[in-house]
Amino acid sequence: MGLNNLRSKIYMEPDAGIIVRSGVRLLLQYVDIVGCDEMWDRIKVESGGELIVENAYFQDGQYAIWLEPGAKLSLKYSKFTNNRVGVYVPNTYATASQTEVDILSFYGNVFEGTAGGQKPPYAGQRAWCGVEAHDLKNLPIVGVHAENAAYNFFENMTYGIIAENTNLVVRYCHFEDIEAQSGTGGYGIYTTSPLNFSRTLEQSGFGTSSEMGFVNCDMGIYGEVTRMNITQNHMQDMGRGVVALRSRRVQVKNNAISSRNNGISLVQNSPCKCEIEDNELYIDDDDTVPTAHGIRVDETLYGVPGDVYRIRNNYVELENAVFAAHALYELKMGNHLYDDSLLCAPTRNLIRPGNTDLHRVPYIYPNPNSSGLAVVEIPGLEKEGLTALVYNQHGVVVNTIPLQGSGDRYLLEVESLVPGIYFIQIQTGEEVLPATRFILVK
């Protein structure tokens, strides 16, 4: 059965739908399916049914395509505009035993919202999600990266992809203007699993120096109780880049992330095999409160050896943010996994790409310090009247200390501070330099 005229158009009444029964194959080719005054319901593909979609257009559907377990779908070169959800796989509540749908192809598609938003009963609201799936053994959303590239696009929505209790593969997809609505959403890719059934997310982009895969999203990729492998992404103008929460395996490698808040966040993942390697992070906190981080680590790594929790060879550059990396001050049992030289390079000048001006990073020593007196070196500065702003681990200013000296070497008296971990930021009058992590022991 097929609809493939030169360009057919079907107008759907409120709550109208199409059902593809078991044993039926429906071809939608060069077909527009749109709502009238209100949103239509869905195209429901039952178990054993097959839907083939090519160069089609879907607008105003509550669930444009609804796939029951056992359904088949081929989706190519089609556009979804102002649907509540573009492609939906319902929750079967099969936590341990996942179900299956057969995705034969999934490339060259666009899922978008527009300025006018959806029709009633969601009048004016932004499109909710491009793809939402529950309880699937495997969901491949894989564009074509070749001479005739056919990527998948998710734009101006509340979520790009939601995968709950689902093994998800995402490659060659573009996410742009994915922002929260009424305090909810804003995730390009959102994955979560039941606590005892960690599912997988295998995601790769277009490369760190090629086409951007994530642009202006509140959060690029979020994984909770998920085995994550995130690589080859170029993210620009992000709120947050990658967040891993309560996950057992996290690999984030070879990504370039520009964000206003945290580049990479690791929260409560222990015990975990974690590899955060070879990433470039550019952080510009546009708020007055210093809360941004290049790599934020909030873990309690009880009994986890350092060789399975690795943060190395990452480049972090700060614009206005205070912390290059959140100190691992919650580590227990003597794990020594933090290395300033890898995370925030406090002993060398950083050069912003495309700009020849040096981004000066103060060098403070001895560090750790037990004498109460430290030396601050700032190559090439040669100014007087400098002030040190001392922050605690939570980004709160606890002291302001004038520096003594001139040229590019100064003395900093820290006797008044209690032992602990601090971040010290030098204020010159014209500018505020990036913070350096400082440990005081007595």
Side-chain angles (χ1 to χ4, degrees):
M1 177 180 175
L3 291 171
N4 58 350
N5 296 329
L6 290 179
R7 197 79 211 181
S8 302
K9 194 163 190 175
I10 301 174
Y11 291 94
M12 304 285 278
E13 292 290 336
D15 297 324
I18 298 171
I19 298 177
V20 182
R21 303 287 190 190
S22 178
V24 173
R25 176 185 293 170
L26 174 61
L27 170 65
L28 298 178
Q29 189 176 42
Y30 299 105
V31 178
D32 298 347
I33 300 179
V34 300
C36 297
D37 296 328
E38 298 183 19
M39 300 187 77
W40 52 281
D41 188 33
R42 70 196 69 182
I43 298 175
K44 180 178 179 181
V45 186
E46 296 182 343
S47 179
E50 181 176 353
L51 178 63
I52 302 172
V53 181
E54 185 172 350
N55 288 295
Y57 178 70
F58 301 88
Q59 182 177 315
D60 310 321
Q62 296 199 44
Y63 302 94
I65 297 175
W66 175 296
L67 301 173
E68 291 288 328
K72 294 182 179 181
L73 173 67
S74 175
L75 183 60
K76 299 184 289 186
Y77 304 110
S78 295
K79 190 172 184 178
F80 295 74
T81 301
N82 288 338
N83 301 280
R84 183 69 175 167
V85 181
V87 176
Y88 184 78
V89 181
N91 196 329
T92 63
Y93 303 99
T95 300
S97 57
Q98 295 167 293
T99 59
E100 294 186 65
V101 296
D102 193 354
I103 304 296
L104 304 175
S105 57
F106 200 115
Y107 57 82
N109 306 295
V110 176
F111 299 85
E112 66 173 6
T114 61
Q118 301 172 86
K119 292 180 177 178
Y122 305 105
Q125 295 183 27
R126 178 184 296 158
W128 176 253
C129 183
V131 178
E132 180 176 348
H134 303 261
D135 306 327
L136 284 184
K137 288 184 177 178
N138 186 40
L139 176 61
I141 302 177
V142 180
V144 175
H145 188 59
E147 183 177 351
N148 297 317
Y151 308 143
N152 294 299
F153 290 83
F154 300 83
E155 300 175 347
N156 194 29
M157 312 183 80
T158 306
Y159 290 86
I161 299 171
I162 297 175
E164 295 188 345
N165 192 32
T166 293
N167 295 315
L168 176 64
V169 179
V170 180
R171 296 194 181 100
Y172 308 126
C173 293
H174 178 90
F175 302 84
E176 186 165 353
D177 296 331
I178 308 297
E179 299 175 308
Q181 179 175 238
S182 301
T184 301
Y187 302 86
I189 301 174
Y190 176 94
T191 65
T192 184
S193 308
L195 189 58
N196 296 322
F197 299 95
S198 181
R199 306 308 182 191
T200 62
L201 168 59
E202 297 285 338
Q203 187 277 337
S204 59
F206 307 98
T208 59
S209 59
S210 58
E211 181 173 342
M212 288 180 287
F214 294 79
V215 180
N216 191 35
C217 303
D218 289 347
M219 187 177 299
I221 300 172
Y222 175 90
E224 182 175 353
V225 194
T226 303
R227 298 190 298 273
M228 303 172 65
N229 184 7
I230 311 300
T231 186
Q232 294 297 325
N233 290 291
H234 186 183
M235 301 184 179
Q236 184 71 33
D237 296 328
M238 306 294 291
R240 290 175 171 85
V242 179
V243 176
L245 172 65
R246 298 191 299 167
S247 297
R248 296 296 180 89
R249 190 195 73 195
V250 180
Q251 294 177 303
V252 183
K253 299 182 178 181
N254 297 298
N255 300 282
I257 302 173
S258 172
S259 78
R260 301 179 296 276
N261 203 307
N262 300 331
I264 299 172
S265 298
L266 307 169
V267 184
Q268 301 174 20
N269 294 293
S270 55
C272 173
K273 180 177 181 181
C274 179
E275 298 172 280
I276 311 299
E277 301 177 355
D278 302 309
N279 300 288
E280 298 179 8
L281 307 172
Y282 303 91
I283 312 301
D284 182 1
D285 183 5
D286 53 12
D287 297 324
T288 57
V289 179
T291 57
H293 310 78
I295 301 173
R296 177 169 183 151
V297 184
D298 288 324
E299 307 277 31
T300 303
L301 298 177
Y302 181 84
V304 178
D307 61 347
V308 300
Y309 199 101
R310 298 198 295 266
I311 302 176
R312 62 187 183 186
N313 299 330
N314 299 287
Y315 175 89
V316 179
E317 181 175 317
L318 304 181
E319 189 69 23
N320 298 313
V322 168
F323 303 140
H326 193 60
L328 305 188
Y329 58 86
E330 294 187 4
L331 290 181
K332 309 298 182 183
M333 303 304 292
N335 293 282
H336 301 288
L337 309 176
Y338 184 93
D339 187 337
D340 280 293
S341 65
L342 298 180
L343 294 178
C344 56
T347 63
R348 61 189 175 92
N349 291 321
L350 304 181
I351 300 178
R352 186 180 307 116
N355 192 327
T356 58
D357 295 333
L358 290 178
H359 195 92
R360 286 183 287 269
V361 180
Y363 177 34
I364 302 177
Y365 63 91
N367 187 7
N369 188 295
S370 60
S371 67
L373 187 65
V375 176
V376 180
E377 288 188 2
I378 311 174
L381 186 63
E382 298 184 357
K383 290 185 178 181
E384 297 181 355
L386 306 187
T387 302
L389 304 177
V390 182
Y391 297 85
N392 65 14
Q393 297 166 330
H394 305 288
V396 177
V397 177
V398 296
N399 209 334
T400 302
I401 304 173
L403 297 186
Q404 303 173 26
S406 60
D408 60 3
R409 183 174 296 183
Y410 308 84
L411 292 179
L412 173 64
E413 294 185 356
V414 292
E415 288 182 335
S416 61
L417 301 177
V418 299
I421 298 174
Y422 298 92
F423 291 84
I424 295 179
Q425 192 176 46
I426 306 302
Q427 190 169 27
T428 70
E430 294 85 2
E431 60 180 330
V432 178
L433 303 182
T436 298
R437 183 171 178 263
F438 181 75
I439 301 174
L440 181 62
V441 295
K442 292 183 179 179

